């Protein structure tokens, strides 16, 4: 059975963010760090070598595969900033309509710049997803 490659590491979050080449993306990353710390009350941890994560949950599939995953987090990628909304987006249609320019994957929200999205809506989205998964798996 394959191992999950996205696991917590001892790498420094601040060293990682300091190396983000694009100055605006670096500033946005520090702002996301602040927002997510405020929302989750967790200290940031590097997951793998490129994801800043907050909190964790244990999952187990019917197949027997199990592991841990971050409750929320982000990664400043070359093309955009990936924000991990683990609960997905179907339950948050109203918020998504108010967010501003974005793209989504299964549980990834892709934005170019924080200045292009409604920060209050983003905070609500992060909070709702974090609370949903934390309640579902950790309480």
């Amino acid at each position: 059975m394959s191992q999950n490659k996205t696991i917590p590491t001892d790498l420094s979050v601040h060293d990682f963010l300091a190396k983000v080449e694009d100055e605006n993306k670096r500033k946005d990353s520090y702002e996301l760090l602040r927002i997510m710390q405020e929302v989750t009350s967790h200290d940031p941890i590097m997951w793998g070598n490129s994801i800043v994560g907050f909190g964790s949950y244990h999952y187990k599939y019917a197949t027997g595969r199990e592991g841990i995953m971050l409750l929320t987090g982000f990664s400043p990628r070359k093309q955009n900033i990936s924000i991990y909304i683990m609960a997905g987006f179907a339950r948050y249609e109203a918020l998504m309509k108010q967010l501003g320019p974005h793209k989504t994957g299964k549980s990834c929200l892709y934005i170019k710049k924080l200045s292009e999205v409604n920060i209050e809506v983003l905070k609500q989205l992060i909070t709702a997803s974090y609370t949903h998964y934390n309640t579902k798996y950790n309480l």
Side-chain angles (χ1 to χ4, degrees):
M1 190 175 298
S2 66
Q3 295 284 60
N4 191 349
K5 293 178 185 171
T6 306
I7 58 173
T9 70
D10 290 331
L11 297 174
S12 166
V13 170
H14 291 286
D15 287 351
F16 168 69
L17 294 180
K19 293 177 185 171
V20 173
E21 290 181 21
D22 182 280
E23 183 180 349
N24 290 324
K25 196 166 284 179
R26 188 171 50 253
K27 286 179 183 177
D28 284 353
S29 295
Y30 280 112
E31 181 62 11
L32 278 171
L33 181 77
R34 186 194 67 72
I35 289 168
M36 289 187 174
Q37 228 170 345
E38 178 184 304
V39 165
T40 68
S41 297
H42 288 285
D43 289 331
I45 294 174
M46 289 300 299
W47 286 70
N49 61 4
S50 64
I51 298 172
V52 179
F54 298 82
S56 64
Y57 67 95
H58 179 263
Y59 63 86
K60 185 171 184 175
Y61 297 133
T63 62
R65 180 180 170 150
E66 62 182 300
I68 60 169
M69 184 52 69
L70 54 106
L71 283 167
T72 193
F74 69 93
S75 183
R77 308 278 186 194
K78 200 174 251 333
Q79 290 280 53
N80 48 49
I81 299 172
S82 298
I83 301 172
Y84 297 93
I85 305 296
M86 303 310 288
F89 303 100
R91 69 183 65 237
Y92 309 119
E93 255 183 69
L95 287 174
M96 299 306 290
K97 288 178 183 175
Q98 300 172 48
L99 183 60
H102 67 275
K103 293 181 181 178
T104 60
K106 184 176 179 180
S107 60
C108 286
L109 172 66
Y110 304 106
I111 63 171
K112 293 282 186 190
K113 300 175 188 174
L114 281 181
S115 61
E116 294 178 344
V117 298
N118 183 322
I119 295 294
E120 290 308 311
V121 170
L122 180 60
K123 284 181 191 177
Q124 289 175 37
L125 183 62
I126 293 167
T127 301
S129 174
Y130 170 81
T131 301
H132 174 75
Y133 256 53
N134 196 33
T135 301
K136 181 176 179 179
Y137 289 101
N138 291 329
L139 297 180

